[in-house]
Amino acid sequence: MTTREKKGHKYTLALMVTSAAIGGTLQYGYNLAIMNAPTVFIQKFVNETFQERWGIQLGVYEVTLIWTFIVSIFSLGGFIGALIAGPMSVRFGRKKTMLLNNVFLISSSLLALLSRTAKSVEMIIISRFLVGINAGISMNVQPMYFGESAPKNLRGAVSLSSAVFTSFGLVLGQVVSLSEVLGGEPCWQYLLASNAIPGFIQLLTLPWFPESPRYLLIDCGDKEACLMALRRLRGCEVQREELDEILQEQNETKGERAKQPWELFTDRSVRWQLISVAVLSSAMQLCGNDSIYFYASYVFQEAGISAGQIQYVTIGTGMCEFTACILCNLLIERLGRKLMLLGGYVLMAGWAVVFTVALSLENMVTWMPYLSMTCIFTYILSFGMGPAGVTGILPTEIFNQTARPAAYMTAGSLMWLNLFIIGMIFPFLVSCLGQYCFVPFGAVCLLTASFIQMVLPETKGKTIAMITKEFYRLNYRGHVKMDPEVVQAQYQLGEVFHSTAL
């Protein structure tokens, strides 16, 4: 392969990843971050709207309840998006689903932009629900699109770029939310509507890139389109080894339609794959990483940072996750998925213990608030180095083409549902447990690390057939069933045997 061909391969794949992610998972991080700055302004708008409409002066409790609903509806929208992502990706394809997904985004932006003029709290609520659907779809379909389009040796790094863009969206949202940019009182409606810009960039650029090669061959049965997509993404002629792997997967799923989530629950051959995805998707939210952002302002204030400077220091938390995701992207093909996940959760469990001790002693030891501040950064770094990036790759690597959309639906639904639950119960955890509120999160990290060590195989550089064989021992433990190797031996790739020849 010439140097020019190699560059063509890298540039095409990198540009495709950038185009898809800017309007995809970047939206998740961005829309989480932009809701912090305008909290007081939107609460004031809610109060003024109710007073103007019905002459009602809302109390602090009522305003807080409405604000909580505005924030939480994003998670419910994400849950709905995760449920419809699978059927959409099968019906329209991975690329077209991501393009159609922008309908929800642009509708959301228009509602947010006009809400202040219309003096409508309901428009803000519907806007957040629609952008939640957009984030739910992109968080499921984008990793699927990346995993199916990347070569085996780059599959982990390319899929992990979804997490890199999520953390970049978080940092971008924090910067745009500064009072000097769009975080001031006159501009909050423009801040909520600013998420349309990445969507427009994706609409202009993504149509120029090919559909997922695996989708074209296995779902659509179009071999010529698959070969053309592979040539464009690789910048050279298709390697026989890569094509044989896709043909092997097509052979194994021939005649099978795309599975529904409830069918996975009754299929013994994917039982432990499904359990693994369910546990790790839930742990991503139950580990408390998102909750630690809520604690950040309090801890920074206790460390002596002035209220006016906290918004700038908070950007450091987003930069931590962004930096960690980039490091994870560079290391994942060297260290492997299992080690990155295991190490991330073990470190998080350790930092949760240190954070609890620091919170308990902050009034007794003068430098303890600084230790608490350090714990926030190290906890987020540990999360970004493993769970944040690797979790989204697994459904692509451990499920075949027919089960993959349903697996992403299940994983995405659990992630959004747990995000909603944590958002609702975290204030009660703080009030009931006080400085011990991170003990449950530490326990979740420890249990998840134990599960990874005992159950999850390493998937780095392995084909679907090899990974399926690893799970075979768990799925059929104590039962007699034909080994996948024997089944695989019944056909030869690239050759056709007629009955007379046999």
Side-chain angles (χ1 to χ4, degrees):
M1 192 185 297
T2 66
T3 305
R4 186 176 178 180
E5 287 172 334
K6 284 183 180 178
K7 285 183 179 178
H9 159 190
K10 290 178 181 177
Y11 288 155
T12 306
L13 196 60
L15 289 171
M16 183 272 284
V17 166
T18 305
S19 172
I22 281 177
T25 52
L26 179 141
Q27 292 285 1
Y28 173 68
Y30 187 80
N31 285 292
L32 277 180
I34 61 174
M35 289 307 287
N36 291 327
T39 300
V40 177
F41 309 132
I42 295 178
Q43 287 179 349
K44 180 184 175 185
F45 171 74
V46 168
N47 211 345
E48 289 174 352
T49 302
F50 271 75
Q51 194 167 10
E52 189 173 326
R53 280 191 196 173
W54 299 293
I56 300 172
Q57 179 70 38
L58 297 176
V60 176
Y61 175 78
E62 289 86 359
V63 172
T64 305
L65 187 64
I66 294 170
W67 171 249
T68 303
F69 186 68
I70 290 172
V71 173
S72 299
I73 200 75
F74 176 73
S75 303
L76 292 180
F79 178 70
I80 300 298
L83 290 177
I84 65 175
M88 283 183 70
S89 66
V90 173
R91 173 70 179 83
F92 301 109
R94 290 23 168 177
K95 185 181 84 169
K96 195 176 289 185
T97 296
M98 296 196 70
L99 291 170
L100 290 171
N101 192 25
N102 285 292
V103 172
F104 297 109
L105 177 68
I106 293 167
S107 303
S108 160
S109 300
L110 284 172
L111 287 169
L113 186 64
L114 299 173
S115 61
R116 192 168 190 173
T117 306
K119 296 182 179 179
S120 172
V121 177
E122 296 84 357
M123 289 174 72
I124 299 177
I125 293 171
I126 297 170
S127 166
R128 291 297 293 174
F129 180 71
L130 289 175
V131 80
I133 294 176
N134 170 270
I137 292 172
S138 61
M139 289 288 284
N140 279 14
V141 178
Q142 184 184 302
M144 203 187 314
Y145 182 37
F146 287 178
E148 292 174 0
S149 300
K152 186 170 63 176
N153 63 314
L154 293 176
R155 190 174 59 203
V158 170
S159 298
L160 188 61
S161 55
S162 295
V164 173
F165 276 90
T166 299
S167 54
F168 176 65
L170 193 68
V171 176
L172 185 63
Q174 289 172 335
V175 172
V176 174
S177 299
L178 291 172
S179 55
E180 294 88 347
V181 189
L182 292 177
E185 199 275 336
C187 301
W188 63 259
Q189 73 273 26
Y190 302 113
L191 177 63
L192 297 188
S194 61
N195 52 24
I197 296 172
F200 280 120
I201 294 173
Q202 186 185 75
L203 283 171
L204 290 172
T205 56
L206 191 59
W208 298 97
F209 295 98
E211 177 58 89
S212 154
R214 288 178 185 270
Y215 173 80
L216 291 170
L217 180 61
I218 299 172
D219 290 84
C220 302
D222 192 340
K223 187 175 179 179
E224 287 304 314
C226 170
L227 288 170
M228 191 178 298
L230 283 170
R231 287 191 197 102
R232 287 184 63 193
L233 289 168
R234 306 295 178 262
C236 60
E237 283 303 312
V238 182
Q239 298 295 317
R240 180 175 176 81
E241 181 186 352
E242 183 175 11
L243 185 60
D244 283 351
E245 183 193 338
I246 302 175
L247 288 169
Q248 180 178 340
E249 189 176 346
Q250 183 195 34
N251 186 76
E252 291 170 351
T253 58
K254 189 171 287 184
E256 293 183 24
R257 58 174 177 79
K259 292 181 179 179
Q260 300 299 325
W262 52 87
E263 292 178 306
L264 296 184
F265 288 97
T266 57
D267 187 350
R268 190 184 184 91
S269 65
V270 295
R271 177 177 295 176
W272 279 97
Q273 289 96 314
L274 188 64
I275 292 172
S276 299
V277 164
V279 168
L280 294 174
S281 298
S282 299
M284 255 195 86
Q285 300 301 335
L286 298 178
C287 69
N289 182 73
D290 289 333
S291 302
I292 210 166
Y293 283 102
F294 295 109
Y295 238 107
S297 296
Y298 165 75
V299 173
F300 294 151
Q301 190 176 349
E302 288 296 308
I305 297 169
S306 65
Q309 298 298 315
I310 284 177
Q311 62 174 338
Y312 303 106
V313 179
T314 303
I315 294 175
T317 59
M319 283 300 299
C320 266
E321 191 167 330
F322 180 50
T323 305
C325 284
I326 291 175
L327 286 173
C328 186
N329 197 301
L330 297 172
L331 295 174
I332 190 167
E333 293 300 344
R334 291 187 177 187
L335 301 181
R337 285 61 157 156
K338 184 171 182 175
L339 181 61
M340 300 293 283
L341 273 173
L342 186 63
Y345 278 115
V346 168
L347 286 172
M348 288 167 72
W351 288 117
V353 173
V354 177
F355 194 36
T356 302
V357 172
L359 289 174
S360 302
L361 300 176
E362 66 178 4
N363 294 323
M364 300 169 62
V365 183
T366 54
W367 50 267
M368 274 300 165
Y370 297 99
L371 180 59
S372 299
M373 191 164 66
T374 304
C375 286
I376 286 178
F377 288 110
T378 51
Y379 198 90
I380 292 170
L381 276 169
S382 303
F383 178 77
M385 283 292 288
V390 182
T391 306
I393 301 171
L394 290 177
T396 299
E397 296 195 325
I398 67 179
F399 286 94
N400 64 24
Q401 191 76 9
T402 58
R404 198 171 290 136
Y408 268 106
M409 284 172 66
T410 305
S413 301
L414 285 169
M415 189 196 80
W416 286 101
L417 196 59
N418 283 299
L419 176 63
F420 177 73
I421 291 169
I422 284 294
M424 295 300 290
I425 69 168
F426 184 71
F428 298 100
L429 275 177
V430 174
S431 61
C432 294
L433 299 179
Q435 68 268 32
Y436 302 107
C437 64
F438 268 82
V439 171
F441 299 136
V444 167
C445 292
L446 201 58
L447 289 171
T448 306
S450 303
F451 177 87
I452 292 166
Q453 177 62 32
M454 292 188 292
V455 173
L456 193 69
E458 179 55 69
T459 60
K460 182 186 76 169
K462 295 179 182 177
T463 64
I464 290 289
M466 294 163 68
I467 295 166
T468 300
K469 189 184 175 188
E470 295 262 7
F471 277 105
Y472 168 83
R473 299 181 183 89
L474 288 171
N475 291 328
Y476 295 100
R477 185 181 295 165
H479 289 74
V480 178
K481 183 174 170 65
M482 188 177 289
D483 193 286
E485 249 187 13
V486 179
V487 177
Q488 187 179 338
Q490 292 181 345
Y491 65 86
Q492 296 284 330
L493 289 174
E495 296 182 48
V496 178
F497 289 161
H498 299 287
S499 56
T500 51
L502 291 173

